[in-house]
Amino acid sequence: MTNLGDLEVFATVAASGSMSLAAKELGYSPAVISKRIKRLEEKLGARLFQRTTRQISLTEAGQGFYERVLAVLEGLEDAEDFVSGRANTVNGTLKISAPTSFGRMHIAPHLRIFMERHPDLSVNLVLSDEFIDIIEGGYDLAIRIADLNSSSLVARRLAPVRRVLCASADYVATHGMPETIEDLKKHRCLPAHNNDIWRLEGPGGALSIRPEGMLVTNSSEVIREAVISGLGIALRSTWDIGHELRAGKLVQVLPAYEGSRNVTLSAVYPSRQFLPAKVRLFIDYLAGLYGPSPYWEQG
């Protein structure tokens, strides 16, 4: 009988594509991971990984073994949950990374209900607008607003993200409404806090604009307050300024142009295997809160 711990090590290495990442996730040294993979290969009499100085990848035999091992491990986890009643009973600490504004506005207000449902679970919510290495930082998951097509992490989409060009009603009354995308050059634009370009989709397809403005800040919330105060035009998410749009404090500018639909709200975590119940329950909770038509889009 193959050691189940070796199967877990193998599955984690296969999912992450790295022995060092698997070592961090499982709490072992890279040497121990390498030794256990070698032991498993010797027992099976087959090479499971192709190794180079820069990367590691599954062999054909390794890929087939991986697909079958997943079914075994998932079945074992389900069996343990059934017997121990852990499926919806969790404890310990759930460590989450989330963007500052979104976490304050759309996670923090909903924590009470989740934590009352799971009274033995503590939550450590860390807010930052930087993309933190969740494996290095020991996070269970991260909430991200980004285009994650190139990410090596496992991502579950929680909601669409709609981003619009907007300005205050006072700004438009003073400076006029731009009629074309070229008109933005004549207006005060507020660059993103991270100086990222504006990726838009319009009648002619995708386009990118790098706005230049007199306000430079590392805070997304400063940009938010600046556009509301009438300083200029900004590209903002509706989860961030939906209330101001509904109240008429902000108006949409150039409605034919909106942010790229590739940007979504997602929960990311290191591996699809052995997803702890506390992580699964929290992701399911957020997905139920937001969904394909999130509440901040209503009205």
Side-chain angles (χ1 to χ4, degrees):
M1 177 70 70
T2 301
N3 186 301
L4 284 174
D6 289 348
L7 295 183
E8 179 182 358
V9 168
F10 164 73
T12 306
V13 173
S16 64
S18 167
M19 287 195 182
S20 60
L21 291 178
K24 290 178 181 178
E25 184 173 340
L26 296 173
Y28 297 132
S29 69
V32 169
I33 296 293
S34 179
K35 181 178 180 180
R36 296 184 71 166
I37 292 295
K38 183 179 180 181
R39 180 172 68 186
L40 182 60
E41 288 180 327
E42 290 176 350
K43 178 173 179 57
L44 296 172
R47 181 177 289 276
L48 300 174
F49 293 100
Q50 297 285 4
R51 301 169 179 83
T52 68
T53 55
R54 292 188 176 183
Q55 62 182 5
I56 183 171
S57 59
L58 287 166
T59 63
E60 183 178 354
Q63 182 62 43
F65 187 61
Y66 176 57
E67 292 169 359
R68 289 159 177 79
V69 164
L70 282 186
V72 171
L73 293 175
E74 289 172 358
L76 179 61
E77 187 175 28
D78 287 343
E80 290 178 344
D81 286 344
F82 174 77
V83 171
S84 63
R86 294 183 310 171
N88 291 298
T89 302
V90 290
N91 53 35
T93 299
L94 179 66
K95 189 175 182 181
I96 309 159
S97 170
T100 303
S101 296
F102 187 87
R104 176 178 57 80
M105 297 173 69
H106 300 292
I107 296 179
H110 305 295
L111 286 178
R112 180 183 63 83
I113 293 176
F114 178 78
M115 296 179 73
E116 286 178 352
R117 291 179 184 175
H118 309 287
D120 295 326
L121 182 67
S122 299
V123 172
N124 181 0
L125 177 61
V126 180
L127 301 183
S128 172
D129 290 327
E130 301 296 327
F131 270 21
I132 294 173
D133 185 330
I134 62 176
I135 296 176
E136 183 73 28
Y139 290 87
D140 294 295
L141 77 155
I143 306 303
R144 290 192 173 161
I145 301 169
D147 178 353
L148 297 176
N149 289 336
S150 60
S151 174
S152 61
L153 298 169
V154 181
R156 176 176 170 185
R157 175 174 164 150
L158 298 175
V161 171
R162 181 176 169 228
R163 296 177 300 154
V164 300
L165 294 166
C166 59
S168 74
D170 289 342
Y171 175 89
V172 172
T174 302
H175 299 279
M177 178 73 78
E179 300 295 332
T180 68
I181 198 73
E182 289 77 16
D183 287 347
L184 289 177
K185 297 176 182 177
K186 306 173 187 176
H187 283 264
R188 298 177 186 171
C189 292
L190 302 173
H193 69 287
N194 56 6
N195 202 33
D196 198 6
I197 61 177
W198 289 356
R199 293 177 174 84
L200 304 173
E201 295 179 7
L207 72 155
S208 298
I209 297 175
R210 184 174 293 282
E212 296 182 2
M214 297 181 67
L215 176 63
V216 178
T217 177
N218 68 341
S219 169
S220 177
E221 295 192 342
V222 168
I223 301 298
R224 179 183 189 276
E225 295 305 316
V227 69
I228 292 172
S229 73
L231 189 57
I233 298 172
L235 179 66
R236 304 298 297 179
S237 298
T238 53
W239 61 257
D240 185 43
I241 45 86
H243 174 74
E244 287 72 21
L245 285 172
R246 286 190 294 272
K249 292 182 180 179
L250 292 177
V251 295
Q252 188 173 356
V253 172
L254 296 171
Y257 296 87
E258 295 195 356
S260 170
R261 288 186 289 270
N262 291 332
V263 175
T264 59
L265 174 70
S266 301
V268 301
Y269 45 98
S271 173
R272 200 180 300 275
Q273 288 74 47
F274 322 115
L275 185 65
K278 61 184 180 181
V279 177
R280 173 178 55 80
L281 289 169
F282 189 70
I283 293 175
D284 288 346
Y285 176 65
L286 293 185
L289 277 175
Y290 309 145
S293 181
Y295 60 80
W296 54 78
E297 283 285 348
Q298 305 307 314

